[in-house]
Amino acid sequence: MTGWTITGGQVLREARIAPGTLALSDGVVAGDAAPAARHFDAAGLLVMPGIVDIHGDAHERQFQPRPGVSIPAPQALRDSAAQILAAGITTAFLGVTLSWEPGLRSLEAWKTLLAELETARPSLAADLRVHLRFEVDNLAALDTALADIAAGRVDLVAFNDHTPSIARKLVKEAAASKYAERAGVGVAEIRAMAETVLAERHAMPAARERLAAAARARGLSMLSHDDATLEDRALHRALGAAICEFPMAEEVGRDARARGEDVVMGAPNVVRGGSHLGWASAAPLAEQGIVTILASDYVWPCLMQAAFILEGRGVLDLAAAWALISANPARAAGLKDRGRLATGLRGDVVVVDPASRSTVAVFCAGELSWVAPQAAARI
């Protein structure tokens, strides 16, 4: 590797965007340019830390573009990786739901994705990691999840507790058809599965404790997903889940922050001007310091757009807004080597056109990994 020198741009360093030169060498941000470094002209552009996505499940659309229609795992993962990179994301935690449901979120699908990711990693530019979203009633898959955590195949652990709400929805024909179609089974079968799982719910607390213990043993950050009440947050806090992800009520997020915990909400919420489910609005909560991390949720490009939208609202400057999608998620996930542009940290950089709010170039671990066609002359 000969390294790169990125010149002429506005560089985000130490919470301030100012004119400067950024040197990359041996995979990291360097104090000085290497003698044979290649040059990238960033005149008129922003030079920002690579985006860290702590939770994104848009890859599910590549694996199953239509309900019941699957795409081979190698192609689906390759397409996902390409889209992640083009969105300026250099570290992506794939939110993989391990549920009792057949099909897209099944144990078989979990094993397939992990195997394909292990095969593909040497050829991937962005750092793709696994965010295990474990449905806490999925007792049949617990031993597999514990083994994968112990083997280092999992990078984040989230507690999902959707089964009771799914069971309530399954009473209605339209909702039942939706879940059945995604799972690739009939309506009667998905209803029977939910009833069987709920019948064993008495064993769930002990299973949840085992999952938390496994995550703690590996030093993994834990998240609680969709906390609806203060009691939910307290329960997950006791397990060691110090990240409150997508709280369903504002008071839950405020309680988490009062205790120094991170609060994650979706970047699409900011882009759309509110939650598509009618929950709290992320933008004002971010401005109040309640939301500390934005995740792509189900649309990767929304991360970058959300940062610019927050800047445009006039409360947060772009440096502070960018921390929600870079420094803060990296810190919360325990990744001390990225999320900021500082000497010795991993050379993950996204060069951005502020006029179009679009990705111009992406450097992963110090190497140019993606460039927009119109920017080829800048090299």
Side-chain angles (χ1 to χ4, degrees), residues 22-377:
L22 185 73
L24 304 175
S25 181
D26 293 328
V28 301
V29 176
D32 299 297
R38 300 182 68 184
H39 175 257
F40 188 95
D41 177 14
L45 305 176
L46 298 170
V47 181
M48 313 293 278
I51 296 172
V52 177
D53 185 14
I54 201 170
H55 172 139
D57 55 32
H59 65 277
E60 288 190 338
R61 288 197 297 273
Q62 293 10 284
F63 281 83
Q64 191 180 100
R66 291 183 178 177
V69 177
S70 298
I71 297 298
Q75 178 183 338
L77 189 60
R78 184 172 63 246
D79 289 350
S80 295
Q83 292 183 36
I84 285 166
L85 205 57
I89 299 169
T90 52
T91 300
F93 288 86
L94 301 181
V96 188
T97 302
L98 180 50
S99 176
W100 48 265
E101 303 168 72
L104 181 63
R105 297 181 168 183
S106 66
L107 180 58
E108 180 183 2
W110 164 263
K111 292 178 178 179
T112 297
L113 188 145
L114 260 60
E116 182 55 37
L117 186 58
E118 185 174 350
T119 299
R121 268 204 180 99
S123 63
L124 298 176
D127 186 4
L128 269 55
R129 295 172 172 246
V130 175
H131 172 154
L132 167 59
R133 304 176 62 201
F134 190 81
E135 287 295 339
V136 292
D137 286 300
N138 190 10
L139 304 179
L142 178 62
D143 287 342
T144 297
L146 296 176
D148 287 331
I149 291 170
R153 290 188 284 267
V154 174
D155 303 285
L156 288 177
V157 173
F159 299 96
N160 281 19
D161 191 4
H162 292 153
T163 304
S165 64
I166 290 174
R168 289 191 295 270
K169 292 174 185 176
L170 290 178
V171 174
K172 298 181 179 180
E173 288 299 323
S177 296
K178 171 185 171 184
Y179 280 100
E181 193 174 20
R182 183 177 75 183
V185 298
V187 168
E189 188 174 355
I190 195 71
R191 284 172 171 163
M193 287 179 176
E195 290 176 5
T196 299
V197 169
L198 283 176
E200 298 297 322
R201 193 165 169 84
H202 62 276
M204 180 270 287
R208 187 172 51 198
E209 291 277 1
R210 291 180 64 196
L211 191 71
R216 290 194 298 269
R218 287 291 301 183
L220 301 182
S221 296
M222 288 181 275
L223 311 88
S224 57
H225 186 77
D226 288 354
D227 283 335
T229 66
L230 296 178
E231 290 73 22
D232 290 339
R233 180 85 282 275
L235 183 154
H236 290 116
R237 180 181 297 124
L239 290 170
I243 303 174
C244 178
E245 183 183 52
F246 302 105
M248 295 172 64
E250 184 175 325
E251 69 170 351
V252 176
R254 290 186 177 278
D255 178 68
R257 286 302 297 137
R259 297 169 185 270
E261 298 165 345
D262 280 296
V263 175
V264 182
M265 290 189 75
N269 183 312
V270 175
V271 172
R272 298 179 70 255
S275 167
H276 72 288
L277 296 174
W279 298 348
S281 182
L285 293 181
E287 291 165 349
Q288 296 170 46
I290 304 303
V291 170
T292 57
I293 296 169
L294 291 175
S296 73
D297 199 0
Y298 52 94
V299 185
W300 289 308
C302 280
L303 281 166
M304 184 182 297
Q305 298 306 313
F308 281 106
I309 288 171
L310 285 172
E311 178 198 26
R313 286 169 57 93
V315 177
L316 300 178
D317 61 18
L318 185 58
W322 203 268
L324 298 174
I325 62 172
S326 58
N328 292 1
R331 172 187 49 72
L335 301 178
K336 299 178 181 180
D337 64 341
R338 68 195 73 187
R340 298 176 293 115
L341 298 180
T343 301
L345 296 189
R346 184 178 158 101
D348 290 343
V349 183
V350 56
V351 182
V352 180
D353 181 349
S356 62
R357 301 178 175 182
S358 62
T359 309
V360 175
V362 180
F363 295 80
C364 295
E367 291 298 308
L368 182 62
S369 303
W370 187 93
V371 63
Q374 64 272 24

